Short mmCIF file of all heavy atoms in Angstrom, two decimals:
data_model
loop_
_atom_site.label_atom_id
_atom_site.label_comp_id
_atom_site.label_asym_id
_atom_site.label_seq_id
_atom_site.Cartn_x
_atom_site.Cartn_y
_atom_site.Cartn_z
N GLU A 112 108.11 95.13 91.18
CA GLU A 112 108.89 93.96 91.57
C GLU A 112 109.53 94.15 92.95
O GLU A 112 109.74 95.27 93.39
CB GLU A 112 110.02 93.75 90.56
CG GLU A 112 109.60 93.03 89.32
CD GLU A 112 109.32 91.55 89.57
OE1 GLU A 112 109.61 91.07 90.67
OE2 GLU A 112 108.80 90.90 88.66
N GLY A 233 87.39 91.23 86.77
CA GLY A 233 88.82 91.52 86.85
C GLY A 233 89.36 91.78 88.22
O GLY A 233 90.56 91.89 88.41
N LEU A 454 113.76 83.52 101.98
CA LEU A 454 113.19 84.47 102.93
C LEU A 454 114.11 84.62 104.15
O LEU A 454 113.66 85.04 105.22
CB LEU A 454 111.79 84.04 103.35
CG LEU A 454 110.76 84.30 102.25
CD1 LEU A 454 109.42 83.69 102.60
CD2 LEU A 454 110.59 85.79 102.00
N TYR A 474 100.59 87.86 96.09
CA TYR A 474 100.27 88.97 96.99
C TYR A 474 100.75 88.55 98.36
O TYR A 474 100.05 87.83 99.08
CB TYR A 474 98.77 89.25 96.96
CG TYR A 474 98.34 90.35 97.89
CD1 TYR A 474 98.89 91.62 97.79
CD2 TYR A 474 97.38 90.13 98.87
CE1 TYR A 474 98.51 92.63 98.64
CE2 TYR A 474 96.98 91.15 99.72
CZ TYR A 474 97.55 92.39 99.60
OH TYR A 474 97.17 93.40 100.46
N TYR A 475 101.95 88.98 98.71
CA TYR A 475 102.59 88.38 99.87
C TYR A 475 101.86 88.65 101.18
O TYR A 475 101.89 87.86 102.11
CB TYR A 475 104.06 88.81 99.98
CG TYR A 475 104.25 90.24 100.43
CD1 TYR A 475 104.14 90.59 101.77
CD2 TYR A 475 104.52 91.26 99.52
CE1 TYR A 475 104.31 91.90 102.18
CE2 TYR A 475 104.68 92.57 99.92
CZ TYR A 475 104.57 92.89 101.25
OH TYR A 475 104.72 94.18 101.66
N TYR A 482 102.90 82.47 107.32
CA TYR A 482 103.85 81.45 107.76
C TYR A 482 103.17 80.31 108.52
O TYR A 482 103.72 79.23 108.65
CB TYR A 482 104.91 82.09 108.68
CG TYR A 482 105.93 82.97 107.99
CD1 TYR A 482 105.56 84.18 107.41
CD2 TYR A 482 107.28 82.61 107.94
CE1 TYR A 482 106.50 85.00 106.79
CE2 TYR A 482 108.23 83.43 107.32
CZ TYR A 482 107.84 84.62 106.75
OH TYR A 482 108.76 85.44 106.14
N PHE A 525 112.02 85.71 117.89
CA PHE A 525 113.17 86.24 118.63
C PHE A 525 112.76 86.55 120.06
O PHE A 525 111.57 86.72 120.36
CB PHE A 525 113.73 87.49 117.93
CG PHE A 525 112.80 88.68 117.98
CD1 PHE A 525 113.03 89.74 118.85
CD2 PHE A 525 111.69 88.74 117.16
CE1 PHE A 525 112.17 90.82 118.91
CE2 PHE A 525 110.83 89.82 117.20
CZ PHE A 525 111.05 90.86 118.08
N ARG A 527 112.55 88.93 123.20
CA ARG A 527 112.59 90.35 123.52
C ARG A 527 112.85 90.48 125.01
O ARG A 527 111.97 90.25 125.84
CB ARG A 527 111.28 91.02 123.13
CG ARG A 527 111.54 92.28 122.33
CD ARG A 527 110.30 92.78 121.67
NE ARG A 527 109.44 93.42 122.62
CZ ARG A 527 108.12 93.45 122.52
NH1 ARG A 527 107.53 92.84 121.53
NH2 ARG A 527 107.40 94.06 123.42
N ASP A 529 113.37 93.00 126.81
CA ASP A 529 112.76 94.10 127.57
C ASP A 529 111.30 93.85 127.87
O ASP A 529 110.60 94.72 128.35
CB ASP A 529 112.92 95.42 126.81
CG ASP A 529 112.29 95.34 125.43
OD1 ASP A 529 112.12 94.22 124.91
OD2 ASP A 529 111.98 96.39 124.87
N HIS A 537 107.23 88.22 114.53
CA HIS A 537 106.78 89.47 113.94
C HIS A 537 106.54 89.35 112.44
O HIS A 537 107.12 88.49 111.78
CB HIS A 537 107.85 90.56 114.16
CG HIS A 537 107.75 91.23 115.48
ND1 HIS A 537 108.35 92.43 115.77
CD2 HIS A 537 107.09 90.89 116.61
CE1 HIS A 537 108.09 92.79 117.00
NE2 HIS A 537 107.33 91.87 117.54
N GLY A 538 105.71 90.27 111.96
CA GLY A 538 105.59 90.43 110.51
C GLY A 538 105.01 89.21 109.81
O GLY A 538 105.54 88.78 108.79
N HIS A 621 98.61 93.99 118.70
CA HIS A 621 98.07 95.35 118.68
C HIS A 621 96.67 95.43 118.08
O HIS A 621 96.20 96.50 117.75
CB HIS A 621 99.05 96.25 117.91
CG HIS A 621 100.44 96.16 118.45
ND1 HIS A 621 100.73 96.52 119.75
CD2 HIS A 621 101.60 95.74 117.91
CE1 HIS A 621 102.03 96.32 119.97
NE2 HIS A 621 102.57 95.85 118.88
N GLU A 624 93.98 97.76 119.43
CA GLU A 624 94.18 99.19 119.29
C GLU A 624 93.47 99.75 118.05
O GLU A 624 93.44 100.97 117.85
CB GLU A 624 95.69 99.49 119.17
CG GLU A 624 96.47 99.10 120.42
CD GLU A 624 97.98 99.12 120.21
OE1 GLU A 624 98.44 99.58 119.15
OE2 GLU A 624 98.69 98.64 121.11
N GLU A 626 90.43 100.58 115.24
CA GLU A 626 89.02 100.94 115.24
C GLU A 626 88.18 99.70 114.95
O GLU A 626 88.64 98.76 114.33
CB GLU A 626 88.74 101.98 114.15
CG GLU A 626 89.04 103.40 114.56
CD GLU A 626 88.51 104.38 113.51
OE1 GLU A 626 89.16 104.49 112.46
OE2 GLU A 626 87.49 105.02 113.75
N HIS A 645 89.63 99.09 99.69
CA HIS A 645 91.07 98.90 99.51
C HIS A 645 91.62 98.13 100.73
O HIS A 645 91.17 98.36 101.85
CB HIS A 645 91.74 100.28 99.41
CG HIS A 645 93.18 100.21 98.95
ND1 HIS A 645 94.20 99.73 99.73
CD2 HIS A 645 93.76 100.57 97.78
CE1 HIS A 645 95.34 99.80 99.05
NE2 HIS A 645 95.10 100.29 97.86
N TYR A 650 92.47 96.60 106.51
CA TYR A 650 93.50 96.20 107.48
C TYR A 650 93.53 97.13 108.70
O TYR A 650 94.09 96.79 109.73
CB TYR A 650 94.89 96.24 106.84
CG TYR A 650 95.10 95.27 105.69
CD1 TYR A 650 96.24 95.35 104.89
CD2 TYR A 650 94.18 94.28 105.41
CE1 TYR A 650 96.44 94.47 103.84
CE2 TYR A 650 94.37 93.40 104.35
CZ TYR A 650 95.50 93.51 103.56
OH TYR A 650 95.70 92.65 102.52
N ARG A 651 92.98 98.32 108.54
CA ARG A 651 93.07 99.32 109.60
C ARG A 651 92.05 99.06 110.71
O ARG A 651 92.07 99.72 111.74
CB ARG A 651 92.80 100.68 108.95
CG ARG A 651 93.46 101.84 109.58
CD ARG A 651 93.24 103.09 108.72
NE ARG A 651 94.27 103.27 107.71
CZ ARG A 651 94.05 103.58 106.45
NH1 ARG A 651 92.82 103.72 105.99
NH2 ARG A 651 95.07 103.76 105.62
N GLU B 107 94.89 90.99 92.03
CA GLU B 107 94.11 92.23 92.06
C GLU B 107 93.50 92.48 93.42
O GLU B 107 93.28 91.57 94.21
CB GLU B 107 92.96 92.11 91.05
CG GLU B 107 93.36 92.37 89.63
CD GLU B 107 93.65 93.85 89.37
OE1 GLU B 107 93.38 94.67 90.26
OE2 GLU B 107 94.15 94.15 88.28
N GLY B 228 115.50 93.07 86.09
CA GLY B 228 114.09 92.81 86.30
C GLY B 228 113.56 93.02 87.70
O GLY B 228 112.38 92.96 87.93
N LEU B 449 89.43 105.46 98.64
CA LEU B 449 90.02 104.87 99.84
C LEU B 449 89.13 105.12 101.06
O LEU B 449 89.61 105.08 102.20
CB LEU B 449 91.43 105.42 100.05
CG LEU B 449 92.44 104.81 99.07
CD1 LEU B 449 93.77 105.49 99.18
CD2 LEU B 449 92.59 103.31 99.32
N TYR B 469 102.48 99.41 94.12
CA TYR B 469 102.82 98.65 95.33
C TYR B 469 102.38 99.50 96.51
O TYR B 469 103.09 100.40 96.95
CB TYR B 469 104.33 98.39 95.35
CG TYR B 469 104.80 97.64 96.58
CD1 TYR B 469 104.26 96.40 96.90
CD2 TYR B 469 105.77 98.18 97.41
CE1 TYR B 469 104.67 95.72 98.03
CE2 TYR B 469 106.20 97.50 98.54
CZ TYR B 469 105.64 96.27 98.85
OH TYR B 469 106.05 95.61 99.98
N TYR B 470 101.19 99.20 97.01
CA TYR B 470 100.58 100.15 97.94
C TYR B 470 101.34 100.30 99.24
O TYR B 470 101.33 101.36 99.85
CB TYR B 470 99.12 99.78 98.20
CG TYR B 470 98.94 98.57 99.10
CD1 TYR B 470 99.07 98.68 100.47
CD2 TYR B 470 98.67 97.33 98.57
CE1 TYR B 470 98.92 97.57 101.30
CE2 TYR B 470 98.52 96.22 99.37
CZ TYR B 470 98.64 96.35 100.74
OH TYR B 470 98.51 95.26 101.54
N TYR B 477 100.41 108.16 103.08
CA TYR B 477 99.46 109.26 103.19
C TYR B 477 100.16 110.58 103.52
O TYR B 477 99.61 111.64 103.30
CB TYR B 477 98.44 108.95 104.30
CG TYR B 477 97.40 107.90 103.95
CD1 TYR B 477 97.75 106.56 103.79
CD2 TYR B 477 96.06 108.23 103.83
CE1 TYR B 477 96.80 105.60 103.49
CE2 TYR B 477 95.09 107.26 103.53
CZ TYR B 477 95.48 105.96 103.37
OH TYR B 477 94.52 104.99 103.07
N PHE B 520 91.59 108.58 114.35
CA PHE B 520 90.46 108.30 115.25
C PHE B 520 90.92 108.46 116.69
O PHE B 520 92.10 108.40 117.00
CB PHE B 520 89.90 106.89 115.00
CG PHE B 520 90.84 105.78 115.43
CD1 PHE B 520 90.63 105.07 116.59
CD2 PHE B 520 91.94 105.46 114.65
CE1 PHE B 520 91.50 104.05 116.98
CE2 PHE B 520 92.82 104.45 115.03
CZ PHE B 520 92.60 103.74 116.20
N ARG B 522 91.22 107.24 120.44
CA ARG B 522 91.21 105.99 121.21
C ARG B 522 90.98 106.34 122.66
O ARG B 522 91.88 106.80 123.36
CB ARG B 522 92.51 105.23 121.01
CG ARG B 522 92.23 103.76 120.70
CD ARG B 522 93.45 103.07 120.19
NE ARG B 522 94.34 102.78 121.28
CZ ARG B 522 95.65 102.72 121.17
NH1 ARG B 522 96.20 102.96 120.01
NH2 ARG B 522 96.40 102.42 122.19
N HIS B 532 96.31 105.07 111.87
CA HIS B 532 96.74 103.68 111.71
C HIS B 532 96.95 103.32 110.24
O HIS B 532 96.36 103.94 109.35
CB HIS B 532 95.69 102.74 112.29
CG HIS B 532 95.84 102.53 113.77
ND1 HIS B 532 95.24 101.49 114.43
CD2 HIS B 532 96.52 103.22 114.71
CE1 HIS B 532 95.54 101.55 115.71
NE2 HIS B 532 96.31 102.59 115.91
N GLY B 533 97.77 102.29 110.06
CA GLY B 533 97.86 101.68 108.74
C GLY B 533 98.40 102.59 107.66
O GLY B 533 97.85 102.67 106.57
N HIS B 616 105.07 100.93 117.46
CA HIS B 616 105.61 99.64 117.86
C HIS B 616 106.99 99.36 117.28
O HIS B 616 107.45 98.23 117.30
CB HIS B 616 104.62 98.54 117.47
CG HIS B 616 103.24 98.79 117.99
ND1 HIS B 616 102.98 98.89 119.34
CD2 HIS B 616 102.07 99.03 117.37
CE1 HIS B 616 101.69 99.15 119.52
NE2 HIS B 616 101.12 99.25 118.34
N GLU B 619 109.74 97.57 119.25
CA GLU B 619 109.52 96.16 119.59
C GLU B 619 110.20 95.23 118.59
O GLU B 619 110.25 94.03 118.79
CB GLU B 619 108.02 95.86 119.61
CG GLU B 619 107.28 96.62 120.69
CD GLU B 619 105.76 96.54 120.53
OE1 GLU B 619 105.29 95.76 119.68
OE2 GLU B 619 105.07 97.28 121.24
N GLU B 621 113.17 93.55 116.12
CA GLU B 621 114.59 93.19 116.19
C GLU B 621 115.41 94.26 115.49
O GLU B 621 114.93 94.95 114.59
CB GLU B 621 114.83 91.86 115.49
CG GLU B 621 114.59 90.65 116.35
CD GLU B 621 115.08 89.38 115.66
OE1 GLU B 621 114.39 88.93 114.73
OE2 GLU B 621 116.13 88.83 116.05
N HIS B 640 113.56 89.89 100.90
CA HIS B 640 112.11 90.03 100.71
C HIS B 640 111.60 91.15 101.62
O HIS B 640 112.07 91.30 102.74
CB HIS B 640 111.45 88.70 101.08
CG HIS B 640 110.01 88.62 100.66
ND1 HIS B 640 109.00 89.34 101.27
CD2 HIS B 640 109.40 87.90 99.68
CE1 HIS B 640 107.85 89.04 100.69
NE2 HIS B 640 108.06 88.18 99.72
N TYR B 645 110.89 94.48 106.62
CA TYR B 645 109.88 95.17 107.44
C TYR B 645 109.89 94.70 108.89
O TYR B 645 109.36 95.36 109.76
CB TYR B 645 108.48 94.95 106.88
CG TYR B 645 108.24 95.49 105.49
CD1 TYR B 645 107.09 95.16 104.78
CD2 TYR B 645 109.16 96.33 104.87
CE1 TYR B 645 106.86 95.65 103.50
CE2 TYR B 645 108.93 96.82 103.58
CZ TYR B 645 107.79 96.46 102.90
OH TYR B 645 107.56 96.94 101.64
N ARG B 646 110.45 93.51 109.10
CA ARG B 646 110.39 92.91 110.43
C ARG B 646 111.43 93.51 111.38
O ARG B 646 111.42 93.21 112.56
CB ARG B 646 110.63 91.41 110.24
CG ARG B 646 110.00 90.52 111.24
CD ARG B 646 110.19 89.07 110.83
NE ARG B 646 109.13 88.58 109.96
CZ ARG B 646 109.33 87.84 108.88
NH1 ARG B 646 110.54 87.52 108.50
NH2 ARG B 646 108.30 87.44 108.17
#
Side-chain angles (χ1 to χ4, degrees):
Chain A
E112 278 288 352
L454 285 172
Y474 178 57
Y475 73 80
Y482 287 68
F525 68 104
R527 229 167 76 210
D529 58 338
H537 275 197
H621 306 299
E624 296 168 8
E626 276 190 285
H645 192 288
Y650 297 170
R651 210 173 271 135
Chain B
E107 280 287 352
L449 285 173
Y469 178 57
Y470 74 80
Y477 286 69
F520 69 104
R522 228 167 77 210
H532 275 197
H616 307 300
E619 296 168 9
E621 275 190 285
H640 192 288
Y645 298 169
R646 209 173 271 137

